[in-house]
């Protein structure tokens, strides 16, 4: 049998009144029977890759459903308690201004 392996990786971003990033990475190992026919061998390899990708997709969907039903919803509700948006521009924050001033000898 011919053995091969690969990595499937998928970064995700979820934003709905919040900002959540997560990444899913899976290393797949597989083998297919050896054959002297290159076309047949290619078909077997492609079918195995398709199966691995389909399994990855379903497992990722399950993970997303679980996160959306629990953790992400809880986080989403916890963040906007102040009803104010956070200003992500670092120059607006006093700590950054103080650090810059300190770094410039001020």
């Amino acid at each position: 049998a011919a053995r091969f392996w690969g990595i499937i990786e998928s970064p995700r971003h979820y934003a709905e009144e919040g900002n959540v990033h997560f990444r899913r990475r899976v290393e797949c190992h597989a083998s297919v029977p050896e054959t002297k026919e290159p076309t047949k061998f290619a078909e077997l390899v492609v079918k195995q890759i398709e199966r691995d990708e389909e399994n990855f997709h379903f497992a990722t969907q399950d993970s997303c459903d679980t996160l959306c039903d629990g953790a992400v919803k809880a986080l989403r509700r916890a963040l906007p308690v102040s009803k104010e948006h956070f200003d992500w521009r670092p120059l607006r924050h006093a700590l950054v201004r103080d650090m810059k001033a300190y770094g410039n000898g001020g």
Side-chain angles (χ1 to χ4, degrees), residues 78-92:
L79 289 175
V81 168
S82 66
K83 304 285 188 210
E84 294 180 21
H85 289 283
F86 184 77
D87 188 353
W88 288 100
R89 295 174 290 189
L91 295 177
R92 303 278 181 159

Side-chain angles (χ1 to χ4, degrees), residues 25-86:
R25 183 179 193 270
V26 173
E27 189 171 308
C28 300
H29 298 270
S31 62
V32 295
E34 292 183 39
T35 177
K36 295 185 186 250
E37 297 177 45
T39 304
K40 177 72 171 169
F41 181 74
E43 288 173 2
L44 293 171
V45 169
V46 168
K47 283 183 183 179
Q48 181 60 47
I49 292 171
E50 287 174 345
R51 276 193 294 269
D52 288 341
E53 287 179 342
E54 185 174 324
N55 291 338
F56 177 84
H57 172 74
F58 287 131
T60 302
Q61 185 65 43
D62 288 344
S63 295
C64 289
D65 290 344
T66 301
L67 280 173
C68 289
D69 287 342
V72 173
K73 282 185 179 178
L75 180 61
R76 191 174 72 217
R77 286 180 175 77
L79 289 175
V81 168
S82 66
K83 304 285 188 210
E84 294 180 21
H85 289 283
F86 184 77

